[in-house]
Amino acid sequence: MGRAQKGRDSWERPVRGGQRKRQVFIFTEGKVTEPSYLDIIKEQGVPLADKVPVEMHIANRRADSGRKPLDLVEQAIDLKREEDRKAKRAQLETKYLPQVWCLFDHDNYKYVRDALNRAKAADIGVAFSHPCFEVWRLAHYKSVNGSFAGVCGGAAERLPFQRGSQDAATPKIVLPHQILGRYKMARKNAERMNGQYATHVDKWDRDPYTDVHEFVEKALHIDTY
């Protein structure tokens, strides 16, 4: 497993000439799709008003292994302990306390439920999609109806840029024109999709499902992009 990258904007040093930022560290299951999405919204996202600015770090960007949900959660727990110790030494206000999140999908992993429960118990945030992150990408274009039966390809095939365009050559990479200007639509479609389930149905049993929009706003303090 690769070691998590440290935040470049260290809040162990005094802040000079600018506002302190809350550090958010993210472990992603995918090595290409999720990081390319995060890079875009980091650069193009419009911050929420009256919220502290966020400095985002993809903690496992260079890691070639350790990308299954339980592995991600265990790495996130280790990093959170380390960052919490630093925050305590720095006597940070609550609003600046660092956060650690994981982005992973169902993808028919046997222990996905355990990973979600372990993360919750350790106060690790999770942005979760079922069957895969492509459900969130698809929400930028249309409402999702019916089940994908746990098969990611069913969601990917419905992406409008998968066939007959230059984008089809690099399907895993999220490109700016595929998402910019579409966040409000994506959130609306995701909320409508998630709302079809009874409240007692756990999210690991909801197909399709995504709560990436909650992560965008709660963790990154982004209003739109």
Side-chain angles (χ1 to χ4, degrees):
M1 298 180 188
R3 285 185 58 83
Q5 297 177 24
K6 305 301 181 186
R8 298 295 186 265
D9 182 15
S10 174
W11 30 262
E12 292 185 287
R13 301 192 300 269
V15 177
R16 299 176 182 176
Q19 184 179 2
R20 185 185 297 279
K21 297 180 180 180
R22 185 180 74 188
Q23 306 298 307
V24 176
F25 300 88
I26 307 163
F27 289 85
T28 67
E29 178 185 346
K31 192 174 182 180
V32 176
T33 305
E34 291 93 329
S36 61
Y37 168 77
L38 293 173
D39 288 342
I40 294 169
I41 66 174
K42 179 179 180 178
E43 294 298 323
Q44 302 289 337
V46 178
L48 283 164
D50 302 321
K51 293 287 187 179
V52 298
V54 167
E55 181 70 20
M56 181 186 80
H57 310 277
I58 300 178
N60 65 334
R61 186 188 288 271
R62 296 186 179 89
D64 292 320
S65 60
R67 289 183 173 273
K68 293 183 179 180
L70 269 174
D71 295 330
L72 295 177
V73 172
E74 292 303 323
Q75 293 173 75
I77 290 171
D78 289 343
L79 180 59
K80 188 175 189 303
R81 291 194 185 110
E82 181 181 345
E83 295 301 322
D84 284 349
R85 286 194 295 266
K86 293 178 183 178
K88 186 175 182 180
R89 287 199 301 268
Q91 299 181 328
L92 291 181
E93 295 178 57
T94 300
K95 64 182 179 180
Y96 295 118
L97 291 177
Q99 293 187 1
V100 184
W101 284 71
C102 296
L103 267 69
F104 61 79
D105 310 328
H106 192 287
D107 276 338
N108 289 319
Y109 283 120
K110 186 176 180 180
Y111 302 109
V112 69
R113 178 177 179 176
D114 294 336
L116 288 165
N117 287 335
R118 181 88 171 98
K120 183 177 181 180
D123 197 25
I124 301 296
V126 175
F128 178 72
S129 300
H130 190 348
C132 59
F133 187 78
E134 276 62 35
V135 170
W136 173 239
R137 297 178 72 183
L138 184 58
H140 287 72
Y141 291 86
K142 60 182 70 176
S143 180
V144 180
N145 299 312
S147 171
F148 291 114
V151 179
C152 183
E157 289 173 359
R158 293 175 61 180
L159 292 171
F161 44 82
Q162 285 295 81
R163 298 177 181 176
S165 71
Q166 288 183 322
D167 296 3
T170 53
K172 290 187 176 182
I173 299 175
V174 180
L175 300 173
H177 69 269
Q178 295 172 356
I179 63 170
L180 292 181
R182 295 180 175 272
Y183 175 72
K184 298 296 185 181
M185 179 190 300
R187 183 180 66 180
K188 181 179 179 180
N189 286 337
E191 289 175 343
R192 181 185 297 117
M193 176 182 68
N194 296 345
Q196 68 182 313
Y197 303 100
T199 56
H200 68 273
V201 179
D202 294 312
K203 63 183 180 181
W204 54 76
D205 286 329
R206 301 181 179 190
D207 175 10
Y209 175 87
T210 185
D211 54 22
V212 175
H213 55 293
E214 296 180 10
F215 157 77
V216 168
E217 297 178 18
K218 292 179 181 179
L220 304 182
H221 287 173
I222 289 176
D223 178 57
T224 191
Y225 50 74

